[in-house]
Amino acid sequence: MKLRNLLAFALAVAPIPALAAGLTPVKPLAGYTCMMLNETAAQSMDFQHPVSFKLRPFDNEPDIAPVGNQVAVKIGARVMNGYVETFDFAFRPRWVAQKYLEPYHAKADPSATCTPAVMSNGHLGFKYGH
């Protein structure tokens, strides 16, 4: 039962809007870049303490929701108290710890690219290419 719950949780928080049936990128988000999570294998398997969005840039703020594998960050984004200003998939303002972010790259495919985009459902998504 626990394994099934963990799998359900992992699928629920996985940022795959670009792969969902019928969703397509409508337009790129000008002035934004893809960042990705930079966490150890142990951190990525810690389902009790995932890297999470915060409403305000302070360590003592409650976690709002887990961060997906990619995050759209404004080029030259504001950094405060070690947190980077960003937004979630519904374009609500959020903050994420800067120490967990790094520029997007794919070790298996160095030519892979990621572009934050508005999807056909009006939410944030990502367009992947080469």
Side-chain angles (χ1 to χ4, degrees):
M1 183 71 167
K2 283 188 176 184
L3 179 59
R4 187 170 54 158
N5 290 343
L6 286 175
L7 289 173
F9 174 76
L11 289 173
V13 299
I16 54 171
L19 300 177
L23 285 179
T24 57
V26 175
K27 67 177 181 174
L29 282 177
Y32 284 82
T33 188
C34 283
M35 300 291 281
M36 60 188 284
L37 284 186
N38 178 25
E39 53 185 355
T40 66
Q43 288 170 320
S44 68
M45 295 304 295
D46 184 357
F47 299 111
Q48 298 299 317
H49 303 95
V51 176
S52 296
F53 288 117
K54 296 198 178 271
L55 194 55
R56 289 181 286 283
F58 301 103
D59 291 338
N60 61 351
E61 281 290 308
D63 294 338
I64 300 297
V67 172
N69 291 330
Q70 278 78 43
V71 179
V73 175
K74 188 173 187 174
I75 296 169
R78 186 166 54 147
V79 177
M80 184 183 294
N81 298 324
Y83 288 85
V84 177
E85 189 174 32
T86 185
F87 44 77
D88 63 17
F89 287 100
F91 293 104
R92 294 175 295 218
R94 299 287 186 249
W95 294 83
V96 65
Q98 184 177 26
K99 67 183 177 183
Y100 293 119
L101 296 178
E102 66 182 357
Y104 176 83
H105 65 279
K107 291 178 183 174
D109 183 359
S111 67
T113 61
C114 173
T115 304
V118 176
M119 302 303 286
S120 54
N121 65 355
H123 290 272
L124 171 66
F126 299 94
K127 180 178 179 183
Y128 301 97
H130 292 276

